[in-house]
Amino acid sequence: MRLPTLVWKELRERPSAMLTSGLTILLGVAAVVAIRHVTVHAEGEVHRQLVALGANVLILPSEATLQDYYAADQSGKTLPEEHVSEVFFAGLTGVEKVSPKLSVPATFSGQPVILTGILPQSEFKTKVAWQSVSMFAPKKHEACQRAKSLTAEPDEAPEALAKNRSIEQLNKNEILVGADIAERTGLKSGKSASLFNETFQVLAVLPRTGTVDDGRVFAHLHTVQRLAGTGEVVNAIEIVGCCEAAAGDLIPQLRKLLPNTKVVTISQVVQTQVGVNRLITKTSWFVLAVLVTIGCATVAGAIAANVRERRREIGTLMALGATPSFVSRMFLLKALWLGVGCGSFGCLMGIGLAMWLGPQWAGVAIQPLPGLSTLAVFSASGLAIVAAYWPARKAASLDPCVCFQEV
Amino acid sequence: MFRLENVQKTYSRHGATVTAFQCAEMTIDAGEYVAILGPSGSGKTTLLSLLGGMLSPSKGGVWLGEQSLYELSVTERAKLRRELLGFVFQTFNLVPYLTALENVQVPLCLAGISSNEQQERAALMLSRFGLTERLRHKPSEMSVGQQQRVALARTLVSNPRIILADEPTGNLDPESRELVLNSLTECHREGRTVVMVTHDPVAAKRAGRILQLIGGELRDQGDAYGRRSAA
């Protein structure tokens, strides 16, 4: 028999008292691990989006809020579609593409979806030809280095919509289906599907993006306007700039051109998302601080109560030759096990919770973060020891014969 | 072996100072069997605690051999208890969540002896007390007599030179009482020093010398034949 055996046997004898105090550690670690997993992955996703979207600019109704770039067209507020032409024909330097969007709720194969109307780039080219305006030959910004993502895939393939935010060709009887919708309905490219009692042909199934776009059905803007009866309006106009510098320079020009709209760069939208994430992170640290305080107090209380009810046993051990350090180690080891056990279990719970809720709440897939998880378990263990330190010292300083007098 | 000089132990209670024990001089020689007789509250346990290095005297000194006990640190006194002393308690003080075997292993565990040796020595000691069938039983699963035998086995397993027994027969039936007293006599015969505090005059008669504690003061009553020690 060794000290750990002694501690383990005592712990097994009175598991409920210790588990009750361990529950605080468990829940605290679970909450913090879950929140941190979601925020870390959400920040990673924001960064990825920023890199992918590069130089984009959004024109939104003035009353729209900036929460999520991909859902910016779902505010329900609208702009006149004529703004699209105004932008297009203004001949602004650095404008690469203009992509208006209108999103309306719809039912598709019996399921509620977001139906998003988009305007294919080919229509702009046609307008250019009609009006003999030479601006479409893009005026490159001086510092132009085209955004990486835009060079990655040509717009000719309909699937490029998922990444390039625009499409070259789209007929009025064609639709594009997000990955989630395709998975749920079993639709494939070339099949027919019904929408607002009209039959459409599936042009393509978009590759998975991990964003709200996976749950959308895309159709021609004018088709969506007709089906939803909205008139010639859009929710957002996305402008693909030729470079980041161009996007920045476009803002004052666009604000001057469309004074009653909100003009933001993608980085501003992303900054908003980053801000939300930081708020969540700060909240998680606050939650952590509260739970640490409660956890420490609970563990300290439980260990102190344990010391009180074991005074006679401690006295006996001291009479048999246990040193004060042996006695304090008995309680510190118990606290350590409590911290490691409840911390580990809490960590697993937190990861599970994050993996379950992350895709639903933050729209990101969660992978376990070993560093964060290890840190959480170590912190829980350390805190449990710190909390038990004072009661353990009290136990070590007990007078053995005072314990006998209680008999 | 033990020497007490001008020892006084006082407590403060509600502003008043209460003398729990006092003794001008007392000596217990190595190999002696001494009974300290006295009624409840006479200071018997205080004396035993002083001898066991667990209670610092308010005045005076306690020596074990040439070593002044209370000049040692708490840790050194714990080590000394582990190596030289064995306690027998009135209420046995077995650890409730450990089996009989594990309870007897405790002093060996504290001494840092290997687990295998602990088990062998503890099992052997329990078999000496007729508890071979009870090795895996917890105190709550044993009779009072069996619990006291486990406690005795725990005291003797580390082979202490000095046994300090606090009312060892107080809670026992006649049969168990006899077994405990015989064990203490056996320890004495083996050359160990035995100090037993009791309020039972019949039990005290087993000792070679009886010291009477009255109102916290120690008086030498001499041996079973009325002979007093030189001190």
Side-chain angles (χ1 to χ4, degrees), chain A residues 1 9 310 313 318 399, chain B residues 54 81 91 97 102 118:
Chain A
M1 191 168 64
K9 287 192 175 270
R310 294 173 67 193
E313 180 195 327
M318 285 177 148
D399 192 340
Chain B
M54 297 191 291
R81 278 196 296 275
T91 46
Y97 52 85
E102 289 161 346
Q118 283 178 33

Side-chain angles (χ1 to χ4, degrees), chain A residues 1-3 5-6 9-10 12-14 310 312-313 315-326 330 396 399-402 404-405 407, chain B residues 11 13 45-46 49 54-55 74-75 78-79 81-82 87 89 91 93 95-98 102 105-107 109-110 112-115 118 138 154:
Chain A
M1 191 168 64
R2 295 258 169 260
L3 175 66
T5 321
L6 203 65
K9 287 192 175 270
E10 198 276 332
R12 248 184 21 180
E13 186 77 5
R14 284 178 271 227
R310 294 173 67 193
R312 193 167 145 200
E313 180 195 327
T316 305
L317 290 174
M318 285 177 148
L320 295 174
T323 58
S325 104
F326 182 93
M330 257 169 53
D399 192 340
C401 59
V402 172
F404 298 148
Q405 280 171 5
V407 176
Chain B
Y11 297 102
R13 293 267 161 84
T45 304
T46 304
S49 301
M54 297 191 291
L55 186 67
V74 174
T75 304
K79 186 168 178 275
R81 278 196 296 275
R82 200 162 62 215
F87 280 89
F89 305 100
T91 46
N93 292 11
V95 181
Y97 52 85
L98 298 181
E102 289 161 346
Q105 281 178 252
V106 168
C109 161
L110 295 173
I113 289 167
S114 74
S115 294
Q118 283 178 33
K138 287 187 179 170
R154 182 181 64 185

Side-chain angles (χ1 to χ4, degrees), chain B residues 161-216:
Chain B
R161 281 166 50 198
I162 303 160
I163 310 281
L164 301 176
D166 180 21
E167 299 277 13
T169 58
N171 283 340
L172 299 179
D173 58 86
E175 192 185 337
S176 300
R177 180 177 170 275
E178 201 55 31
L179 185 132
V180 170
L181 290 174
N182 288 342
S183 297
L184 292 176
T185 306
E186 183 63 25
C187 288
H188 176 231
R189 281 197 193 125
E190 287 169 358
R192 298 180 221 262
T193 307
V194 179
V195 180
M196 173 177 67
V197 300
T198 180
H199 63 269
D200 178 359
V202 180
K205 279 187 180 165
R206 299 280 188 110
R209 186 153 63 105
I210 299 169
L211 300 172
Q212 184 117 31
L213 255 174
I214 299 169

Side-chain angles (χ1 to χ4, degrees), chain B residues 148-167:
Chain B
Q148 184 61 303
R149 278 187 276 163
V150 174
L152 273 170
R154 182 181 64 185
T155 306
L156 298 174
V157 74
S158 53
N159 200 20
R161 281 166 50 198
I162 303 160
I163 310 281
L164 301 176
D166 180 21
E167 299 277 13

